[in-house]
Amino acid sequence: MATLALLQARSLAVGNEYYFRNSIVDSFRNKENDAAVKIQSWFRGCQVRAYIRHLHRTVTIIQKWWRSFLGRKQYQLTVQVARYTIMMNLYSAMAVRIQRRWRGYRVRKYVFNYYYFKEYLRVVSETNDAIRKALEEFAEMKEREEKKANLDREEEKRDYQARKMHYLLSTKQIPGIYNSPFRKEPDPWELQLQKAKPLTHHRPKVKQKDSTSLTDWLACTSTRSFPRSEILPPINRKKCQGPFRGITEVLKQRYKPLEPTLRVAEPINELKLAREELRRKEWLRNVNDNMFLPFSSYHKNKKYLPSMHLSSKYSPTSHKEQFRSENPKKWICDKDFQTVLPSFELFSKYGKLYSKAGQIV
Amino acid sequence: MSQRQVLQVFEQYQKARTQFVQMVAELATRPQNIETLQNAGVMSLLRPLLLDVVPTIQQTAALALGRLANYNDDLAEAVVKGDILPQLVYSLAEQNRFYKKAAAFVLRAVGKHSPQLAQAIVDCGALDTLVICLEDFDPGVKEAAAWALGYIARHNAELSQAVVDAGAVPLLVLCIQEPEIALKRIAASALSDIAKHSPELAQTVVDAGAVAHLAQMILNPDAKLKHQVLSALSQVAKHSVDLAEMVVEAEIFPVVLTCLKDKDEYVKKNASTLIREIAKHTPELSQLVVNAGGVAAVIDCIGSCKGNTRLPGIMMLGYIAAHSENLAMAVIISKGVPQLSVCLSEEPEDHIKAAAAWALGQIGRHTPEHARAVAVTNTLPVLLSLYMSTESSEDLQVKSKKAIKNILQKCTYLPALEPFLYDAPPNILKHVVGQFSKVLPHDSKARRLFVTSGGLKKVQEIKAEPGSLLQDYINCINNCYPEEIVRYYSPGYSDILLQRVDSYQPLIN
């Protein structure tokens, strides 16, 4: 029991001791725990930091490479753009040069061409001069014509006056008023009167009936030919005094048709013409112009050989003539002698040999 | 026997009527008798004689009526009021050619006085009968009908339209081709009267093929015919570009230039009118005229005429120069400017002077070269004097002022500008000084000349408000010269110098 009381007395202290030792150990344990935690946390922190540092380093490398890649791409684009700009500027500069030249040329040539304009003005002034000259000539010509017309009119008037006053002409017996003997030479009117034809009295004009037919239009109707109208124009002339023939006789004589002799009427190379005529008539009758060939085809390829008579250049009758030597260089004109057959004089007097006394031949 | 006596009575009456009507017709030729005749009531007596049985009396009565109506418009109105016209128109259709001529003469005499009388003629249906007369064989009848139609169409566009609607134009064109000169003249004059009112009427005339025939007739030597033909062509050409081109296509150039040398004044006038009407429409037509040498011919024509005959030629030059500067240069090298300045100085009439001033303004306004060409001939002082003179009409003043302004704005020929410094009014002076201020900074010789001729002195004397355009110009001119010279020429400088002499203390050694 003592031990028990001792133990119970100590138990309180044991309790306290126990508690005390535990608390110390506890606090020591806490301290150690804290220290361990601290160490651990520090170490873990270092670990993590090292890890993060490593990560940073790798990320930096990746980013570096990525950014350099992007930058290179961008650089390419920039270079392209810059090149493009430089080229466009170059082209624009070239284009401006071309346009400048072209615009200058266009303005000088088409809008205001100085040389063309100068030339145009020169041409205009030349035209003006030409026109002025032409107009002056025209005006001069008109004046001349007018003057001439005036002169002609005056001339006509004077002539008419002279014709009216023709009876004032001087005769051998009595000198006229314009031919006074006291003058040295006669007045110019005197000469005018001499030239003038006296005026005839006006007779009432008989209306002519124009009954000319178509053939008269076609035939020659000049004054020298025989008048072809059926009705002769009335003869207004008074019969002149004196031994004159009647007017019908005179007209018949005047308008007698030509009666050529046979020698004149026939052409001189009549023989040749007649031969030609004959040949022409025969040629008309031919159906074919080719020479007549025999029928057989054997002779088709053969050329026709004319006979000796036809193949010579001398005509069949020419052997009767002398064969003359021809020397064309000695000819005066370029024609050879011709065969000429003149007409007979005897035949020309056919029907006219007997005299027709009293009648007009 | 009694039958003979009865017939004798009738014969006497007929003789009396014939004699009366012939005497009246003869008396009506003299103007002094007409009043007396009118007072004696000749109208009412002549009217029944128009319906007489005997044709000669009818014709002579119509002739007498025509002569009376020709004299003045009261009588013409009396003819209209007396209801004579319907009778005339009715018998026109039926009678012989002498009557037709006389009746057409009456219609013409009535229609020429005023539009109302012409309208009265149209209202009674005379146009159709007149057109039928145009188809007649006798040239005298055609002439009388054409004349009447021409006089009716002359007044205004409606009457012309009525004439055209009656179908007169193709017949008139046929009349032009007839050989008689008088008929050609009248037909050409009628066509001219029809075409002058409006472009549509002119187009109708052209459509009938008149232009070719008219163009051929320019060559005819008869002066009156040429005058009418040229007038007709100019009336056609004046309305529009197309019509002018049609006239030109009828190949009138260069034949028309020979008409400018004709002796007759009217032919010259009408020829230059025609060329003017053609040239005024477009630059191309003016170019055509210039290329054909028309400018030289017109300038010669201006030189040889006097008075109103010159006016179309002057206007033509103005129109041509107005189109473009090349054409103005062409006018200058054809020696147009001296001629125009001669016209400006020697013509007495104001409207011709105004036209010449306008033409000179048109020539000189394009470039300095043109202005120089105008200024060299010393026309600017003349223009200035016309502008300043109180006797000139307002139109002349306005035109000369415009011309001066236009020329001055381009003029760099200083010797011509200098006189202007002295006697120009302020509004023109401004332009003159402006021109000087433009030229002087660049030309040293001109500067020297300006000083020696006293121009600088004059410029200093000009009083201008500070800040105005004139002051700017004066400053600009003063800047061209060194300070001393400007001071030397400033007004009152001699006084300043003398004052300095007065206040000067001489150096006493």
Coordinates of all heavy atoms in Angstrom, one line a residue, chain B residues 367-441:
Chain B
T367 N -5.7 86.7 -129.5 CA -4.4 86.5 -128.9 C -3.7 87.8 -129.1 O -4.1 88.7 -129.9 CB -3.6 85.4 -129.7 OG1 -3.3 85.9 -131.0 CG2 -4.4 84.1 -129.8
P368 N -2.5 87.9 -128.4 CA -1.7 89.2 -128.6 C -1.3 89.5 -130.0 O -1.3 90.6 -130.4 CB -0.5 88.9 -127.7 CG -1.0 88.0 -126.7 CD -2.0 87.1 -127.3
E369 N -1.1 88.4 -130.8 CA -0.8 88.7 -132.2 C -1.9 89.4 -132.9 O -1.7 90.4 -133.7 CB -0.5 87.3 -132.9 CG 0.7 86.6 -132.6 CD 1.9 87.4 -133.1 OE1 1.9 88.0 -134.2 OE2 2.9 87.5 -132.3
H370 N -3.1 88.9 -132.7 CA -4.2 89.6 -133.3 C -4.4 91.0 -132.8 O -4.6 91.9 -133.6 CB -5.5 88.8 -133.0 CG -5.5 87.4 -133.5 ND1 -4.9 86.4 -132.9 CD2 -6.1 86.9 -134.7 CE1 -5.1 85.3 -133.6 NE2 -5.8 85.6 -134.7
A371 N -4.3 91.2 -131.5 CA -4.4 92.5 -131.0 C -3.4 93.5 -131.5 O -3.6 94.6 -131.8 CB -4.4 92.5 -129.5
R372 N -2.2 92.9 -131.7 CA -1.1 93.7 -132.3 C -1.4 94.2 -133.7 O -1.2 95.3 -134.1 CB 0.2 92.9 -132.2 CG 1.3 93.7 -132.6 CD 2.4 92.7 -133.2 NE 3.5 93.4 -133.8 CZ 4.6 93.7 -133.1 NH1 4.7 93.4 -131.8 NH2 5.5 94.4 -133.7
A373 N -1.9 93.2 -134.5 CA -2.3 93.5 -135.9 C -3.3 94.6 -135.9 O -3.3 95.4 -136.8 CB -2.8 92.2 -136.6
V374 N -4.2 94.6 -135.0 CA -5.3 95.7 -135.0 C -4.7 97.0 -134.5 O -4.9 98.1 -135.0 CB -6.5 95.3 -134.1 CG1 -7.4 96.4 -134.0 CG2 -7.2 94.1 -134.7
A375 N -3.8 96.9 -133.5 CA -3.3 98.1 -132.9 C -2.3 98.8 -133.8 O -2.2 100.1 -133.8 CB -2.6 97.8 -131.6
V376 N -1.6 98.1 -134.6 CA -0.6 98.7 -135.5 C -1.2 99.7 -136.5 O -0.6 100.6 -136.9 CB 0.1 97.5 -136.2 CG1 0.8 98.0 -137.5 CG2 1.2 96.9 -135.3
T377 N -2.5 99.4 -136.9 CA -3.1 100.3 -137.8 C -3.7 101.5 -137.2 O -4.4 102.3 -137.9 CB -4.2 99.6 -138.6 OG1 -5.1 99.1 -137.6 CG2 -3.7 98.4 -139.3
N378 N -3.4 101.8 -136.0 CA -3.8 103.0 -135.3 C -5.3 103.2 -135.3 O -5.8 104.3 -135.5 CB -3.2 104.3 -136.0 CG -1.8 104.5 -135.6 OD1 -1.5 104.1 -134.5 ND2 -1.0 105.1 -136.5
T379 N -6.0 102.1 -135.0 CA -7.5 102.2 -134.9 C -7.9 102.5 -133.5 O -9.0 102.9 -133.3 CB -8.2 100.9 -135.4 OG1 -7.4 99.8 -134.9 CG2 -8.2 100.8 -136.9
L380 N -7.1 102.1 -132.6 CA -7.5 102.2 -131.2 C -7.8 103.7 -130.8 O -8.9 103.9 -130.1 CB -6.5 101.6 -130.2 CG -6.4 100.1 -130.3 CD1 -5.2 99.6 -129.4 CD2 -7.6 99.5 -129.9
P381 N -7.0 104.7 -131.2 CA -7.4 106.0 -130.9 C -8.8 106.4 -131.5 O -9.6 107.1 -130.9 CB -6.3 106.9 -131.4 CG -5.2 106.0 -131.5 CD -5.7 104.6 -131.8
V382 N -9.0 105.9 -132.7 CA -10.3 106.2 -133.4 C -11.4 105.6 -132.6 O -12.5 106.3 -132.4 CB -10.3 105.6 -134.8 CG1 -11.6 106.0 -135.5 CG2 -9.1 106.2 -135.6
L383 N -11.3 104.4 -132.2 CA -12.3 103.7 -131.4 C -12.5 104.5 -130.1 O -13.7 104.7 -129.7 CB -11.9 102.3 -131.0 CG -12.1 101.3 -132.2 CD1 -11.4 100.0 -131.8 CD2 -13.5 101.0 -132.4
L384 N -11.4 104.9 -129.5 CA -11.6 105.7 -128.2 C -12.4 107.0 -128.4 O -13.2 107.3 -127.7 CB -10.2 105.9 -127.6 CG -10.2 106.6 -126.3 CD1 -10.8 105.6 -125.3 CD2 -8.8 107.0 -125.9
S385 N -12.0 107.7 -129.5 CA -12.7 108.9 -129.8 C -14.2 108.7 -130.0 O -15.0 109.5 -129.6 CB -12.0 109.7 -130.9 OG -12.2 108.9 -132.1
L386 N -14.5 107.6 -130.7 CA -15.9 107.3 -131.0 C -16.6 107.0 -129.7 O -17.8 107.4 -129.5 CB -16.0 106.1 -131.9 CG -15.8 106.3 -133.4 CD1 -15.8 105.0 -134.1 CD2 -16.8 107.2 -133.9
Y387 N -15.9 106.3 -128.8 CA -16.5 106.0 -127.5 C -16.8 107.2 -126.7 O -17.8 107.4 -126.0 CB -15.6 105.0 -126.8 CG -16.1 104.7 -125.3 CD1 -17.3 104.3 -125.0 CD2 -15.2 104.9 -124.3 CE1 -17.7 104.1 -123.7 CE2 -15.5 104.7 -123.0 CZ -16.8 104.3 -122.7 OH -17.2 104.1 -121.4
M388 N -15.8 108.1 -126.8 CA -15.9 109.3 -125.9 C -16.8 110.4 -126.5 O -17.4 111.2 -125.8 CB -14.6 110.0 -125.7 CG -13.5 109.0 -125.2 SD -13.8 108.7 -123.5 CE -13.2 110.3 -122.9
S389 N -17.0 110.4 -127.8 CA -17.7 111.5 -128.4 C -19.2 111.4 -128.0 O -19.8 110.3 -127.9 CB -17.6 111.4 -129.9 OG -18.8 111.6 -130.6
T390 N -19.8 112.5 -127.8 CA -21.2 112.6 -127.4 C -22.1 112.4 -128.5 O -23.3 112.2 -128.4 CB -21.5 113.9 -126.7 OG1 -20.9 114.9 -127.5 CG2 -20.9 114.0 -125.3
E391 N -21.6 112.6 -129.8 CA -22.5 112.6 -130.9 C -22.8 111.1 -131.3 O -23.8 110.9 -132.0 CB -21.9 113.2 -132.1 CG -21.7 114.7 -131.9 CD -20.9 115.3 -133.0 OE1 -20.3 114.5 -133.8 OE2 -20.8 116.5 -133.2
S392 N -22.0 110.2 -130.9 CA -22.2 108.8 -131.3 C -23.4 108.3 -130.7 O -23.8 108.6 -129.6 CB -21.0 107.9 -131.0 OG -19.9 108.6 -130.7
S393 N -24.1 107.4 -131.4 CA -25.3 106.8 -130.9 C -24.9 105.8 -129.8 O -23.8 105.4 -129.7 CB -26.1 106.1 -132.0 OG -25.3 105.0 -132.4
E394 N -25.9 105.4 -129.0 CA -25.6 104.5 -127.9 C -25.0 103.2 -128.3 O -24.1 102.7 -127.7 CB -26.9 104.3 -127.1 CG -26.6 103.9 -125.7 CD -27.9 103.7 -125.0 OE1 -28.7 104.7 -124.9 OE2 -28.2 102.6 -124.5
D395 N -25.6 102.7 -129.4 CA -25.2 101.4 -129.9 C -23.7 101.5 -130.3 O -22.9 100.6 -130.0 CB -26.0 101.1 -131.2 CG -25.6 99.8 -131.8 OD1 -25.5 98.8 -131.0 OD2 -25.5 99.7 -133.0
L396 N -23.3 102.6 -131.0 CA -21.9 102.8 -131.4 C -21.0 102.9 -130.2 O -20.0 102.2 -130.1 CB -21.8 104.1 -132.2 CG -20.4 104.5 -132.7 CD1 -19.7 103.3 -133.4 CD2 -20.4 105.7 -133.5
Q397 N -21.5 103.6 -129.1 CA -20.6 103.7 -127.9 C -20.4 102.3 -127.3 O -19.3 102.0 -126.9 CB -21.3 104.7 -126.9 CG -21.0 106.1 -127.3 CD -21.6 107.0 -126.2 OE1 -22.5 106.6 -125.4 NE2 -21.3 108.3 -126.3
V398 N -21.5 101.6 -127.2 CA -21.4 100.3 -126.5 C -20.5 99.4 -127.3 O -19.6 98.8 -126.7 CB -22.8 99.7 -126.4 CG1 -22.7 98.2 -126.1 CG2 -23.6 100.3 -125.3
K399 N -20.6 99.4 -128.6 CA -19.8 98.5 -129.4 C -18.4 98.9 -129.4 O -17.5 98.0 -129.3 CB -20.3 98.5 -130.8 CG -21.7 97.8 -130.9 CD -21.8 97.0 -132.3 CE -22.9 96.0 -132.2 NZ -24.2 96.5 -132.6
S400 N -18.1 100.2 -129.4 CA -16.7 100.6 -129.5 C -16.1 100.3 -128.1 O -14.9 99.9 -128.0 CB -16.5 102.0 -129.9 OG -17.5 102.8 -129.4
K401 N -16.8 100.5 -127.0 CA -16.3 100.2 -125.7 C -15.9 98.7 -125.6 O -14.8 98.4 -125.1 CB -17.3 100.6 -124.6 CG -16.8 100.2 -123.3 CD -17.7 100.8 -122.2 CE -17.3 100.2 -120.9 NZ -18.4 99.8 -120.1
K402 N -16.8 97.9 -126.0 CA -16.5 96.5 -126.0 C -15.3 96.1 -126.8 O -14.5 95.3 -126.4 CB -17.8 95.7 -126.5 CG -18.6 95.2 -125.4 CD -19.6 94.2 -125.9 CE -19.2 92.8 -125.7 NZ -20.2 91.9 -125.9
A403 N -15.3 96.7 -128.0 CA -14.1 96.4 -128.9 C -12.8 96.8 -128.2 O -11.8 96.1 -128.2 CB -14.3 97.1 -130.2
I404 N -12.8 98.0 -127.6 CA -11.6 98.5 -127.0 C -11.2 97.6 -125.8 O -10.1 97.1 -125.7 CB -11.8 99.9 -126.4 CG1 -11.9 100.9 -127.6 CG2 -10.6 100.3 -125.6 CD1 -12.2 102.3 -127.1
K405 N -12.2 97.2 -125.1 CA -11.9 96.3 -123.9 C -11.3 95.0 -124.4 O -10.3 94.5 -123.9 CB -13.2 96.1 -123.1 CG -13.3 96.9 -121.9 CD -14.5 96.6 -121.1 CE -14.4 95.4 -120.2 NZ -15.5 95.2 -119.3
N406 N -12.0 94.4 -125.4 CA -11.5 93.1 -125.8 C -10.1 93.2 -126.4 O -9.3 92.3 -126.1 CB -12.5 92.6 -126.9 CG -13.7 92.1 -126.4 OD1 -13.8 91.7 -125.2 ND2 -14.8 92.0 -127.2
I407 N -9.8 94.2 -127.2 CA -8.5 94.3 -127.8 C -7.5 94.6 -126.7 O -6.4 94.0 -126.7 CB -8.5 95.4 -128.9 CG1 -9.4 95.0 -130.0 CG2 -7.1 95.5 -129.4 CD1 -9.5 96.1 -131.0
L408 N -7.8 95.5 -125.8 CA -6.8 95.9 -124.8 C -6.4 94.7 -123.9 O -5.3 94.6 -123.4 CB -7.4 97.0 -123.9 CG -7.3 98.4 -124.5 CD1 -7.9 99.4 -123.5 CD2 -5.8 98.7 -124.8
Q409 N -7.4 93.8 -123.6 CA -7.1 92.7 -122.7 C -6.0 91.8 -123.3 O -5.4 91.1 -122.6 CB -8.3 91.9 -122.4 CG -9.0 92.5 -121.2 CD -10.4 91.9 -121.1 OE1 -10.9 91.2 -121.9 NE2 -11.1 92.3 -120.1
K410 N -5.8 91.9 -124.6 CA -4.8 91.0 -125.2 C -3.6 91.8 -125.8 O -2.7 91.2 -126.3 CB -5.4 90.2 -126.3 CG -6.4 89.2 -125.8 CD -5.7 88.0 -125.3 CE -6.8 87.0 -124.8 NZ -6.8 86.0 -124.3
C411 N -3.7 93.1 -125.7 CA -2.7 93.9 -126.5 C -1.4 94.0 -125.7 O -1.4 94.4 -124.6 CB -3.3 95.2 -126.8 SG -2.2 96.2 -127.8
T412 N -0.3 93.6 -126.3 CA 1.0 93.8 -125.7 C 1.9 94.7 -126.5 O 3.1 94.8 -126.3 CB 1.7 92.4 -125.6 OG1 1.8 91.8 -126.8 CG2 1.0 91.5 -124.6
Y413 N 1.3 95.4 -127.5 CA 2.0 96.2 -128.3 C 2.0 97.6 -127.7 O 1.1 98.4 -127.8 CB 1.4 96.3 -129.7 CG 2.1 97.1 -130.7 CD1 3.4 96.8 -131.1 CD2 1.5 98.2 -131.3 CE1 4.1 97.5 -132.0 CE2 2.1 98.9 -132.3 CZ 3.4 98.6 -132.6 OH 4.1 99.3 -133.6
L414 N 3.1 97.9 -126.9 CA 3.1 99.1 -126.1 C 3.0 100.4 -126.8 O 2.3 101.3 -126.3 CB 4.3 99.0 -125.1 CG 4.2 97.8 -124.2 CD1 5.4 97.8 -123.3 CD2 3.0 97.8 -123.4
P415 N 3.7 100.6 -127.9 CA 3.5 101.9 -128.6 C 2.1 102.3 -128.9 O 1.8 103.5 -128.9 CB 4.3 101.8 -129.9 CG 5.3 100.7 -129.6 CD 4.6 99.8 -128.6
A416 N 1.2 101.3 -129.1 CA -0.1 101.7 -129.4 C -0.9 102.0 -128.1 O -1.9 102.7 -128.1 CB -0.8 100.5 -130.1
L417 N -0.4 101.4 -127.0 CA -1.1 101.6 -125.7 C -0.8 103.0 -125.1 O -1.6 103.5 -124.3 CB -0.8 100.5 -124.7 CG -1.3 99.2 -125.0 CD1 -0.9 98.2 -123.9 CD2 -2.8 99.2 -125.1
E418 N 0.4 103.5 -125.4 CA 0.8 104.7 -124.7 C -0.1 105.9 -124.9 O -0.4 106.5 -123.9 CB 2.2 105.1 -125.2 CG 3.2 104.1 -124.7 CD 4.5 104.7 -124.4 OE1 4.6 105.9 -124.2 OE2 5.5 103.9 -124.4
P419 N -0.6 106.2 -126.1 CA -1.6 107.3 -126.2 C -2.8 107.2 -125.2 O -3.3 108.1 -124.8 CB -2.0 107.3 -127.6 CG -1.0 106.5 -128.3 CD -0.4 105.6 -127.4
F420 N -3.1 105.9 -124.9 CA -4.3 105.7 -124.1 C -4.0 106.2 -122.6 O -5.0 106.5 -121.9 CB -4.6 104.2 -124.0 CG -5.5 103.8 -125.1 CD1 -5.0 103.6 -126.3 CD2 -6.8 103.5 -124.8 CE1 -5.9 103.2 -127.3 CE2 -7.7 103.1 -125.8 CZ -7.2 103.0 -127.1
L421 N -2.8 106.2 -122.3 CA -2.5 106.7 -120.9 C -3.0 108.1 -120.7 O -3.3 108.5 -119.6 CB -1.0 106.6 -120.6 CG -0.5 105.2 -120.2 CD1 1.0 105.3 -120.1 CD2 -1.1 104.7 -119.0
Y422 N -2.9 108.8 -121.8 CA -3.1 110.3 -121.6 C -4.6 110.7 -121.6 O -5.0 111.5 -120.9 CB -2.4 111.0 -122.8 CG -0.9 110.9 -122.6 CD1 -0.2 109.9 -123.3 CD2 -0.2 111.7 -121.7 CE1 1.1 109.8 -123.1 CE2 1.2 111.6 -121.6 CZ 1.8 110.6 -122.3 OH 3.2 110.5 -122.1
D423 N -5.3 110.1 -122.6 CA -6.7 110.6 -122.7 C -7.8 109.5 -122.5 O -8.9 109.6 -123.1 CB -6.9 111.3 -124.0 CG -6.2 110.5 -125.2 OD1 -5.6 109.5 -124.9 OD2 -6.3 111.0 -126.3
A424 N -7.5 108.5 -121.8 CA -8.6 107.5 -121.6 C -9.4 107.7 -120.4 O -8.8 108.2 -119.4 CB -7.9 106.1 -121.6
P425 N -10.6 107.4 -120.4 CA -11.4 107.5 -119.1 C -11.0 106.4 -118.2 O -10.4 105.4 -118.6 CB -12.9 107.3 -119.6 CG -12.7 106.5 -120.9 CD -11.4 107.0 -121.5
P426 N -11.3 106.6 -116.9 CA -10.8 105.7 -115.9 C -11.0 104.2 -116.1 O -10.2 103.4 -115.8 CB -11.4 106.2 -114.6 CG -12.0 107.5 -114.8 CD -12.1 107.7 -116.3
N427 N -12.2 103.9 -116.5 CA -12.5 102.4 -116.6 C -11.6 101.8 -117.7 O -11.3 100.6 -117.6 CB -14.0 102.2 -116.9 CG -14.5 103.0 -118.0 OD1 -13.8 103.9 -118.5 ND2 -15.7 102.8 -118.5
I428 N -11.3 102.5 -118.7 CA -10.4 102.0 -119.7 C -8.9 102.1 -119.3 O -8.1 101.2 -119.6 CB -10.6 102.7 -121.1 CG1 -12.0 102.4 -121.6 CG2 -9.6 102.3 -122.1 CD1 -12.3 102.8 -122.9
L429 N -8.6 103.1 -118.6 CA -7.3 103.3 -118.1 C -6.8 102.2 -117.2 O -5.7 101.7 -117.3 CB -7.2 104.6 -117.2 CG -5.9 105.2 -116.9 CD1 -5.2 105.5 -118.2 CD2 -6.0 106.4 -116.1
K430 N -7.8 101.6 -116.5 CA -7.5 100.5 -115.6 C -6.9 99.3 -116.4 O -5.9 98.7 -116.1 CB -8.8 100.1 -114.9 CG -8.7 98.9 -114.0 CD -10.0 98.7 -113.2 CE -11.1 98.4 -114.2 NZ -12.3 98.1 -113.4
H431 N -7.6 99.1 -117.6 CA -7.1 97.9 -118.4 C -5.7 98.2 -119.0 O -4.9 97.4 -119.1 CB -8.1 97.7 -119.5 CG -9.4 97.2 -119.0 ND1 -9.5 95.9 -118.5 CD2 -10.6 97.7 -118.9 CE1 -10.8 95.7 -118.1 NE2 -11.4 96.8 -118.3
V432 N -5.6 99.5 -119.4 CA -4.3 99.9 -120.1 C -3.2 99.7 -119.1 O -2.1 99.1 -119.4 CB -4.4 101.4 -120.5 CG1 -3.1 101.8 -121.1 CG2 -5.5 101.5 -121.5
V433 N -3.4 100.2 -117.9 CA -2.3 100.1 -116.9 C -2.0 98.7 -116.5 O -0.9 98.2 -116.4 CB -2.6 100.9 -115.6 CG1 -1.6 100.8 -114.6 CG2 -2.8 102.4 -116.0
G434 N -3.1 97.9 -116.5 CA -3.0 96.5 -116.3 C -2.1 95.8 -117.3 O -1.3 95.0 -117.0
Q435 N -2.4 96.1 -118.6 CA -1.5 95.6 -119.6 C -0.1 95.9 -119.5 O 0.8 95.1 -119.6 CB -2.0 96.0 -121.0 CG -3.3 95.3 -121.5 CD -3.1 93.8 -121.6 OE1 -3.6 93.1 -120.9 NE2 -2.3 93.4 -122.6
F436 N 0.1 97.2 -119.1 CA 1.5 97.6 -118.9 C 2.2 96.8 -117.8 O 3.3 96.4 -117.9 CB 1.6 99.1 -118.6 CG 1.6 100.0 -119.8 CD1 0.6 100.8 -120.1 CD2 2.8 100.0 -120.6 CE1 0.6 101.6 -121.2 CE2 2.8 100.8 -121.7 CZ 1.8 101.6 -122.0
S437 N 1.4 96.6 -116.8 CA 2.0 95.9 -115.6 C 2.3 94.5 -116.0 O 3.1 93.9 -115.3 CB 1.0 96.0 -114.4 OG -0.1 95.2 -114.7
K438 N 1.6 93.9 -117.0 CA 1.9 92.6 -117.3 C 3.1 92.5 -118.2 O 3.8 91.5 -118.2 CB 0.7 92.0 -118.1 CG -0.4 91.5 -117.3 CD -1.5 90.8 -118.1 CE -2.9 91.1 -117.5 NZ -3.9 91.0 -118.5
V439 N 3.3 93.5 -119.1 CA 4.4 93.4 -120.0 C 5.7 93.9 -119.5 O 6.8 93.3 -119.7 CB 4.0 94.2 -121.3 CG1 5.1 94.2 -122.3 CG2 2.8 93.6 -121.9
L440 N 5.7 95.0 -118.7 CA 6.9 95.7 -118.4 C 7.9 94.8 -117.5 O 9.1 94.9 -117.7 CB 6.6 97.0 -117.6 CG 6.2 98.1 -118.5 CD1 5.8 99.3 -117.7 CD2 7.2 98.5 -119.5
P441 N 7.4 94.0 -116.6 CA 8.3 93.2 -115.8 C 9.2 92.3 -116.6 O 10.3 91.9 -116.2 CB 7.5 92.4 -114.9 CG 6.2 93.1 -114.8 CD 6.0 93.8 -116.1

